[in-house]
């Protein structure tokens, strides 16, 4: 019964996120979940293909492009010679933003919100060899000048994008009440395990 109630509470919170009921959350200044979106109609042209360095050893490459004041485009290339089966969560990949602190250390400014609803995982994507896909994700702003990169958990491996200059609120580095409330819902696990999950340091 206890496990059922815990799962139910997590589901309610995640559905609140998905419904974008953020009235009590200041996304510009507080750490929150990443809300990336897959562009299913995207087809890479030559200009996009040129963004990727040749002779790259990483089997998955991420490139950030700043679209405007509010949106980043994240281009992901499959350098494998095989198809990769992707299972998005509600049309999103497991992705968060990180930023450089004043001490030049990379720290997360977002976390990942896992859905417990089976319908969130009812779609698969064939990520074909040497193809490029596009995601969009929110761009923040603030008084602290830094650099931003994206962290992707894909097929049990972590990949990082290039970094780009940006500005954020320094409050984004602090664990918000939303983060702490979700962390408490995984109470039977130790803090290190929970934070590794939410910050995409470990596979599902």
């Amino acid at each position: 019964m206890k496990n059922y109630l815990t799962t139910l509470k997590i589901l309610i919170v995640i559905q609140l996120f998905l419904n974008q009921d953020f009235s009590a959350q200041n996304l510009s200044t507080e750490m929150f979940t990443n809300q990336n979106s897959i562009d299913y109609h995207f087809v890479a042209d030559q200009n996009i293909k040129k963004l990727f360095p040749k002779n790259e050893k990483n089997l998955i490459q991420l490139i950030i492009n700043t679209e405007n004041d509010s949106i980043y485009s994240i281009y992901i290339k499959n350098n494998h010679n095989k198809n990769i089966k992707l299972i998005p969560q509600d049309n999103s990949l497991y992705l968060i933003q990180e930023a450089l602190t004043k001490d030049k250390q990379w720290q997360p400014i977002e976390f990942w919100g896992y859905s417990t609803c089976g319908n969130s995982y009812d779609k698969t994507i064939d990520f074909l060899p040497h193809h490029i896909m596009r995601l969009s994700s929110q761009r923040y702003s603030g008084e602290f000048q830094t650099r931003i990169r994206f962290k992707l958990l894909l097929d049990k491996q972590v990949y990082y994008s290039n970094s780009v200059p940006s500005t954020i609120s320094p409050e984004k580095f602090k664990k918000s009440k939303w983060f702490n409330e979700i962390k408490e819902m995984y109470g039977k696990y130790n803090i290190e395990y929970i934070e590794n999950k939410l910050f995409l340091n470990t596979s599902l």
Side-chain angles (χ1 to χ4, degrees), residues 15-186:
Q15 290 304 315
L16 177 63
F17 293 164
L18 298 178
N19 291 335
Q20 299 186 3
D21 185 8
F22 305 147
S23 58
Q25 179 77 18
N26 187 333
L27 296 184
S28 297
T29 61
E30 296 181 70
M31 181 185 286
F32 200 55
T33 59
N34 180 274
Q35 303 290 315
N36 75 82
S37 178
I38 300 170
D39 183 352
Y40 288 98
H41 302 291
F42 173 75
V43 178
D45 58 22
Q46 289 302 315
N47 290 329
I48 298 299
K49 292 177 181 179
K50 288 178 182 178
L51 295 175
F52 290 86
K54 295 182 179 179
N55 302 319
E56 175 62 41
K57 294 182 179 180
N58 287 330
L59 294 176
I60 298 293
Q61 288 177 269
L62 280 73
I63 298 291
I64 307 175
N65 190 39
T66 304
E67 295 293 332
N68 52 50
D69 291 341
S70 60
I71 295 294
Y72 288 117
S73 282
I74 306 97
Y75 299 102
I76 305 175
K77 184 179 180 183
N78 176 11
N79 287 325
H80 287 268
N81 289 318
K82 64 177 183 179
N83 178 49
I84 300 176
K85 286 282 187 184
L86 302 180
I87 304 177
Q89 176 184 302
D90 296 305
N91 299 324
S92 300
L93 294 188
Y94 298 88
L95 191 79
I96 60 171
Q97 292 187 51
E98 296 184 333
L100 280 176
T101 65
K102 289 182 179 180
D103 297 328
K104 304 303 179 185
Q105 300 295 316
W106 287 106
Q107 284 192 17
I109 59 171
E110 295 178 325
F111 61 96
W112 186 255
Y114 293 93
S115 174
T116 58
C117 176
N119 291 335
S120 295
Y121 309 97
D122 61 0
K123 180 179 291 187
T124 60
I125 299 175
D126 286 317
F127 195 13
L128 300 176
H130 309 292
H131 276 226
I132 299 170
M133 64 186 302
R134 176 187 176 272
L135 312 177
S136 61
S137 189
Q138 181 168 355
R139 182 184 178 188
Y140 305 108
S141 62
E143 65 273 23
F144 177 59
Q145 294 188 353
T146 184
R147 296 188 71 86
I148 292 292
R149 72 179 182 182
F150 280 84
K151 178 180 184 178
L152 173 70
L153 179 62
L154 179 66
D155 200 22
K156 299 183 180 182
Q157 295 289 326
V158 171
Y159 301 94
Y160 295 96
S161 72
N162 60 312
S163 66
V164 293
S166 187
T167 62
I168 62 169
S169 167
E171 297 298 309
K172 294 289 288 183
F173 290 115
K174 297 180 180 179
K175 295 166 185 173
S176 63
K177 67 175 183 178
W178 291 96
F179 178 89
N180 289 321
E181 286 178 5
I182 288 182
K183 186 171 69 173
E184 289 178 3
M185 293 178 185
Y186 294 92

